[in-house]
Amino acid sequence: MKKLTPAVRQDVQPLPIAVPRADLDLIESWIPMGARVLDLGCGDGSFLARLMHTRKATGYGVEIDDTNVQRSVANGINVIQQDLEKGLAMFEDQAFDVVILSQTLQAMHNTERILRDIARVGKEGVVSFPNFGHWYHVWSIAMGRMPVSKQMPYQWYNTPNIHLCTVKDFEALLAQIGYRILGKQLFLNGEAVQWLGNLRSTLAVYRFKPQFVA
């Protein structure tokens, strides 16, 4: 991997390792012991710190926010301050076992490029995103208003979410760019959804890799 310069630790107190989110619990279970992990949009670094503790993972976080970068460093994370929209050119091909993009995909301008980058630098990709196909969202639009919900709490004029999609939309994109789904789980209020997932779930989590990679 190319030489990287992680942010330098400053006097910021570390946050707890525990991260109570159903999608992160599932993602953790998909991480092999000792895996090399890249966490894109890693926030305060608490999830990668958790993986270092529970899965003996190593790797990097990528984050743009100054405060979150400092928090990540305080949590013992090797973090690169970088705008994901600029791509992942700083990382070599297959540099990581798993690349994670958790609840950030919907805020990306170039969705296809980040997915291709994930598959280039990682042997596997894991992505979670809010499911716009949930029945409440459909009903709200039918009533003439953009939906506001716990999963998507912003108004239409101040939302950071620019590329919302449904479960079926995301699966169609993965198929279009030649990725094979290795794992999938849909959630509603932290509980797994087993039937009518496109209508009943508010959050989707996928694990994938290029179709022709062993």
Side-chain angles (χ1 to χ4, degrees):
M1 189 170 64
K2 298 177 181 178
K3 185 177 181 180
L4 301 173
T5 305
V8 178
R9 183 177 184 128
Q10 298 183 25
D11 187 19
V12 179
Q13 292 300 312
L15 298 179
I17 288 176
V19 183
R21 252 177 49 190
D23 61 324
L24 298 185
D25 291 341
L26 175 63
I27 293 170
E28 179 184 351
S29 74
W30 285 344
I31 304 298
M33 289 296 295
R36 190 163 177 78
V37 175
L38 178 63
D39 190 1
L40 302 176
C42 66
D44 59 33
S46 56
F47 183 55
L48 190 50
R50 169 176 161 180
L51 295 180
M52 290 167 61
H53 177 73
T54 63
R55 310 304 292 171
K56 310 303 180 187
T58 60
Y60 285 84
V62 178
E63 176 59 44
I64 192 170
D65 180 77
D66 290 338
T67 300
N68 277 335
V69 168
Q70 293 178 25
R71 288 290 185 186
S72 293
V73 173
N75 273 317
I77 301 304
N78 292 318
V79 59
I80 307 299
Q81 189 163 23
Q82 169 79 8
D83 183 355
L84 293 179
E85 297 289 0
K86 296 181 179 179
L88 303 178
M90 75 285 276
F91 298 114
E92 295 180 352
D93 294 357
Q94 304 293 286
F96 299 92
D97 296 305
V98 183
V99 180
I100 301 168
L101 185 69
S102 175
Q103 299 199 40
T104 303
L105 184 71
Q106 70 278 0
M108 300 295 300
H109 284 85
N110 198 327
T111 304
E112 184 175 343
R113 186 175 80 170
I114 193 63
L115 289 175
R116 290 188 183 279
D117 274 350
I118 287 172
R120 179 186 65 78
V121 304
K123 297 175 183 176
E124 293 183 8
V126 175
V127 170
S128 64
F129 58 91
N131 172 32
F132 198 64
H134 183 263
W135 69 266
Y136 173 78
H137 301 153
V138 176
W139 175 83
S140 183
I141 290 174
M143 294 295 100
R145 298 294 300 272
M146 285 295 290
V148 177
S149 65
K150 182 178 179 181
Q151 197 68 42
M152 295 188 296
Y154 301 96
Q155 296 288 343
W156 65 270
Y157 53 84
N158 64 6
T159 179
N161 300 324
I162 57 175
H163 282 152
L164 296 167
C165 70
T166 70
V167 169
K168 292 184 177 180
D169 286 331
F170 184 71
E171 292 183 1
L173 177 58
L174 289 185
Q176 176 183 318
I177 58 182
Y179 293 167
R180 175 163 54 97
I181 296 172
L182 303 176
K184 164 187 173 181
Q185 184 60 66
L186 308 178
F187 292 97
L188 174 63
N189 298 326
E191 299 294 329
V193 173
Q194 304 299 344
W195 55 279
L196 294 179
N198 199 46
L199 282 174
R200 296 183 59 243
S201 67
T202 55
L203 180 66
V205 190
Y206 282 83
R207 179 185 182 191
F208 58 90
K209 69 190 308 182
Q211 184 73 31
F212 301 109
V213 175

